[in-house]
Amino acid sequence: MIHQVPIKSLPQHWLWCETWCDEESKKRAKTIDLCNNPMTKEPKLEAAVRIVPEWQDYDQELKQFQKLFQEEKLNGLTHASTEEVTSTEDHVPHIEL
């Protein structure tokens, strides 16, 4: 396909990677590639915490959501049954998040 369609490289700010980009250019980065750095061999999740300051907040939020989902699943409150449990004649049915 590369012989039929010209392929262009994206500018550095579209794919910032610590391995080949400097810290100053990270401010303009539109995406951050958590690529493996062959020099450090640091695991990607550890690098994510170090490189992306808000990573821990996102990670905690997702862990809480996953825990809630697992608890509801164990208690038999699936998406379909949640509506039945919260529905009464007095109010409009809704699903608790």
Side-chain angles (χ1 to χ4, degrees):
M1 194 68 163
I2 64 171
H3 300 295
Q4 297 171 356
V5 178
I7 296 176
K8 309 274 186 200
S9 294
L10 289 172
Q12 178 177 308
H13 64 271
W14 279 101
L15 190 59
W16 187 91
C17 180
E18 186 177 45
T19 304
W20 63 81
C21 301
D22 63 12
E23 192 65 28
E24 182 63 28
S25 65
K26 186 168 83 170
K27 296 176 191 170
R28 296 181 305 279
K30 298 195 184 296
T31 61
I32 295 176
D33 182 358
L34 298 172
C35 53
N36 288 323
N37 186 337
M39 303 294 281
T40 64
K41 302 200 186 298
E42 178 181 29
K44 285 187 180 188
L45 291 178
E46 287 178 21
V49 170
R50 184 177 48 74
I51 295 169
V52 184
E54 59 272 17
W55 186 275
Q56 286 182 313
D57 295 335
Y58 296 147
D59 192 46
Q60 285 301 319
E61 186 176 344
L62 286 171
K63 284 178 181 174
Q64 289 173 354
F65 181 72
Q66 182 181 19
K67 181 180 175 186
L68 177 65
F69 178 79
Q70 291 298 330
E71 288 171 358
E72 288 182 357
K73 189 175 176 183
L74 288 173
N75 292 327
L77 296 176
T78 62
H79 181 73
S81 65
T82 304
E83 192 169 327
E84 294 171 14
V85 171
T86 59
S87 175
T88 68
E89 293 179 15
D90 298 337
H91 68 279
V92 178
H94 68 281
I95 297 174
E96 298 288 334
L97 296 178

